[in-house]
Amino acid sequence: MGGRKSGRVWAAAAVVLLAALTGVGLWRTAGGPPNLVAITSEPEGIMGTSCQLSAVVVLGQAGRAREALTAAEAELRRVEALMSTWIEGSEISRLNHAPPGEAVPLSRESRFVLGRARQLARETGGAFDVTCRPLVELWRRAGKRDELPSAEELAAALSLVGWREIRLEPGGAVKAAAGARVDLGGIAKGYGIDLAAEAMQAAAGLRGGLVDVGGDLRLFGQAPTPEGWVAAIRSPAGDAVWAEITLSGGAVCTSGHALRFETIEGRRYSHIIDPRSGRPASGTVSVTVVGPTALDADAWATALSVLGPEGLERLEGAPGIEALVISRGEGGLRADLSPGFPELRPGPGFPATILRH
Ligand code: AMP
Ligand code: MG
């Protein structure tokens, strides 16, 4: 992932545009705030995707910046070790494999994310539901064997989905059925980004910072360039920058079908499942969400991929969350924006129909 064009760098979906850099880099800002430099790192093997961390400091404070980057990286790895379903011994894997009725002890962090996920299931009318793991597995298996799931298989998986299957307790969680499982793939990355950004913010001497994991970002403070923090929204199909927005802080997360899908019987299916029907979300091409925290932006991007543009109404109950939903309409692609979404600078190829609600 990560392409390069006109000296700008971007990752999966949205990324803050910085002057050309590779690996751990240091540069002086040309015409920017005086004597500010950005020290960056690109740690590998984090959450199965690319990662770019950037700490903005006054020239001469590179040591402090490096300490902050190390702390941020450690937070990302810690959250992944707790919550990834790709890691056998993670807390969430242990919960998934536990027998029904057994209390599984969980860290404060896992309990916090599960608690927020349960609230978000309510706020999104069930469109975001981390208990949908049995469906995620069903559609992954269908992709591997290249055959659509049968009605019986679908009904069996659906019967295991829902918050009645998981009880959160003060020290952990208990499952009702052996086959009930959770999947934090739509929220844990955002949470890790938040903790990483907060670790950087707590470090002494930082003027600003950026955490970018696979194109989901959180940033704070001063940008290293005079334009401020400019996030590029990438076209779902290719590497083109579709639109740009300027931000002063907070998070930007994108869910798109272009990079992650299963092909079954010659058709592409999204990796995002509608937990209400049990079928992959369709109709939405990509969703970009801005908000104060990456946890909420990440989850809402997944939820709105299920809900489509009609789901924007639900943001009234979610202060600070704003979204851009690109969907397939009758006359081609269309872009729907919530009222407070930052001013959008569309580039070539961006949908001609732009509706601000
Ligand atoms: P994202 O790429 O952030 O939209 O997250 C997608 C991932 O979240 C998928 O790969 C699944 O692991 C999980 N997921 C899929 N559908 C849902 C859903 N409706 N609610 C919560 N998590 C989901
Ligand atoms: Mg998400």
Side-chain angles (χ1 to χ4, degrees):
M1 258 177 240
R4 188 166 294 212
K5 202 177 177 183
S6 327
R8 289 171 159 187
V9 181
W10 63 86
V15 76
V16 165
L17 302 172
L18 298 171
L21 68 130
T22 43
V24 178
L26 177 144
W27 74 91
R28 242 191 121 116
T29 54
N35 298 323
L36 283 188
V37 292
I39 311 293
T40 75
S41 67
E42 293 185 4
E44 288 184 1
I46 289 184
M47 300 183 178
T49 185
S50 58
C51 176
Q52 186 187 34
L53 307 172
S54 206
V56 181
V57 288
V58 171
L59 196 62
Q61 304 253 302
R64 286 189 159 177
R66 287 204 179 88
E67 274 170 35
L69 296 180
T70 304
E73 180 181 336
E75 287 297 271
L76 288 168
R77 294 195 194 278
R78 192 167 68 85
V79 169
E80 183 176 17
L82 289 173
M83 299 179 199
S84 172
T85 46
W86 300 101
I87 298 173
E88 271 300 308
S90 76
E91 284 189 347
I92 297 303
S93 290
R94 277 200 282 117
L95 175 63
N96 283 346
H97 296 133
E102 183 180 298
V104 179
L106 296 172
S107 61
R108 191 176 48 82
E109 287 83 354
S110 293
R111 282 181 279 130
F112 174 76
V113 174
L114 284 167
R116 276 298 293 140
R118 189 175 54 180
Q119 284 172 343
L120 281 155
R122 269 188 230 118
E123 289 170 27
T124 63
F128 183 83
D129 190 339
V130 301
T131 71
C132 72
R133 176 83 186 174
L135 290 165
V136 170
E137 289 178 1
L138 174 72
W139 285 94
R140 260 188 215 152
R141 278 200 306 276
K144 282 208 185 87
R145 70 178 192 209
D146 195 20
E147 189 187 335
L148 288 170
S150 68
E152 292 75 35
E153 288 173 315
L154 201 62
L158 258 177
S159 75
L160 293 168
V161 172
W163 272 96
R164 66 184 179 281
E165 294 295 335
I166 312 282
R167 192 171 75 241
L168 299 183
E169 295 190 330
V174 182
K175 284 169 23 178
R181 290 183 181 358
V182 295
D183 185 329
L184 301 185
I187 189 170
K189 172 142 60 93
Y191 180 65
I193 291 171
D194 285 334
L195 290 194
E198 281 155 24
M200 280 171 79
Q201 255 171 310
L206 252 63
R207 291 294 189 89
L210 161 71
V211 178
D212 173 348
V213 183
D216 287 347
L217 343 152
R218 181 153 161 191
L219 40 90
F220 63 91
Q222 277 176 284
T225 51
E227 305 88 58
W229 299 111
V230 178
I233 296 166
R234 212 184 73 164
S235 82
D239 266 355
V241 171
W242 235 10
E244 289 180 0
I245 52 176
T246 303
L247 296 157
S248 57
V252 191
C253 294
T254 298
S255 285
H257 300 177
L259 296 169
R260 296 177 60 200
F261 55 84
E262 298 283 355
T263 306
I264 311 169
E265 298 178 8
R267 259 197 70 185
R268 276 186 180 195
Y269 291 90
S270 171
H271 69 293
I272 297 171
I273 310 290
D274 184 339
R276 303 162 305 177
S277 68
R279 296 176 184 283
S282 60
T284 313
V285 175
S286 89
V287 178
T288 298
V289 175
V290 302
T293 66
L295 179 146
D296 286 88
D298 190 5
W300 272 105
T302 308
L304 289 166
S305 298
V306 170
L307 295 168
E310 292 75 36
L312 289 173
E313 283 169 22
R314 289 196 170 264
L315 293 181
E316 274 167 31
I321 305 287
E322 303 288 347
L324 158 68
V325 178
I326 315 261
S327 60
R328 261 178 233 103
E330 276 167 22
L333 289 184
R334 115 182 190 202
D336 289 77
L337 295 156
S338 63
F341 194 83
E343 194 195 326
L344 193 69
R345 298 187 292 282
F350 194 80
T353 312
I354 303 177
L355 304 166
R356 201 177 269 273
H357 289 233

